[in-house]
Amino acid sequence: MRISQRLTEALAWRVAAEIVRRHPEFEEVSFFWRVGGAGPPGYYSLTLNDGSVVRDVRLHPWPGALSADRTHSYVSIGTLLDETDIRRWVERMEGTFGLRTPRSTPSTTSQSIGFRLVADLLMRRIFERRGATARPGEISWGLGSEWRGRDYLEVLRALWGEKAKYGYSTFLWQIINFDTPELLASVDPDSPLNRRIDQSPDSPEQFWRVALNQNDSVNGTWIAPQMGKAMTSGGDVIDLLDGYRANQRSLTQTSLEIFG
């Protein structure tokens, strides 16, 4: 994955982490990458539901002006590069949605810790040869749904318990580590996947597929960020908030222990 792709991915998770952390009042949170073939070229969508109204922030990697109303915003990630602080941008989103801006940042909760840990990992790996990506656990938008290793339903039930169900509200992610030169060498420039006219230049979907082929999915770490839980390759379920507290609230130390 190019640095631009890694930056796009890391920024999207960082924004999601900040919004979810600042607004623990939302009962449901879903966050996913909608790959090419399902509307515009891939974008990240963060959907928040407080029981009365659903708000949706869509972060896309191509240039474009911000359009927004009280329930929906469509924003180019490139606009974030002009900001001096992610929080300032989030405050603008709060104004757009009519949300209360907290006087102080709320404590990290089970609902926000997963987003923060993934964002920390992706930020650490932007410029490293050993990269990382957060691959959607269920790809069904034009890329197929092939699975190897641990069964998706098994992981879903282990991390969500009685709340497990299909749908964006119970979306799972898989964290995959990769060697950048080896991954780039494996991407076939003649592959139909790489010639798709609807694919954004900064969409990591082609690398997700190659990473899946190179790394048996049983070796990846599954995570349900909305639940604050993860599952190791050995099948152990981790409470992310407990791990964060055990590491004296160090995001970096906790993400190193979980994701490497």
Side-chain angles (χ1 to χ4, degrees), residues 132-172:
T133 183
R135 178 183 179 273
E138 181 184 13
I139 291 184
S140 57
W141 306 289
L143 286 183
S145 300
E146 60 277 86
W147 294 107
R148 296 184 301 169
R150 193 173 303 282
D151 182 77
Y152 180 83
L153 274 178
E154 177 187 347
V155 180
L156 184 67
R157 290 168 181 150
L159 297 183
W160 280 88
E162 295 181 354
K163 295 183 179 180
K165 62 180 180 179
Y166 280 113
Y168 298 144
S169 62
T170 51
F171 209 73
L172 297 179

Side-chain angles (χ1 to χ4, degrees), residues 58-78:
R58 297 186 180 186
L59 299 152
H60 57 84
W62 60 92
L66 180 151
S67 62
D69 55 39
R70 283 304 178 100
T71 60
H72 176 79
S73 66
Y74 201 63
V75 186
S76 169
I77 288 181

Side-chain angles (χ1 to χ4, degrees), residues 1 4 12-13 16 20 43 48 58 62 66 68-69 116 124 139 144-145 162 177 181 204 206 215 217 222 224 248 257:
M1 294 174 67
S4 59
W13 279 88
V20 174
Y43 59 80
L48 308 166
R58 297 186 180 186
W62 60 92
L66 180 151
D69 55 39
R116 298 190 68 201
R124 284 193 287 111
I139 291 184
S145 300
E162 295 181 354
N177 296 309
Q206 60 180 295
N215 302 273
S217 60
W222 291 90
Q248 286 75 52
E257 286 188 0

Side-chain angles (χ1 to χ4, degrees), residues 182-200:
E182 291 181 5
L183 189 63
L184 287 172
S186 301
V187 176
D188 181 4
D190 296 323
S191 168
L193 182 64
N194 298 338
R195 296 201 305 268
R196 295 173 62 137
I197 61 173
D198 63 345
Q199 180 173 304
S200 163

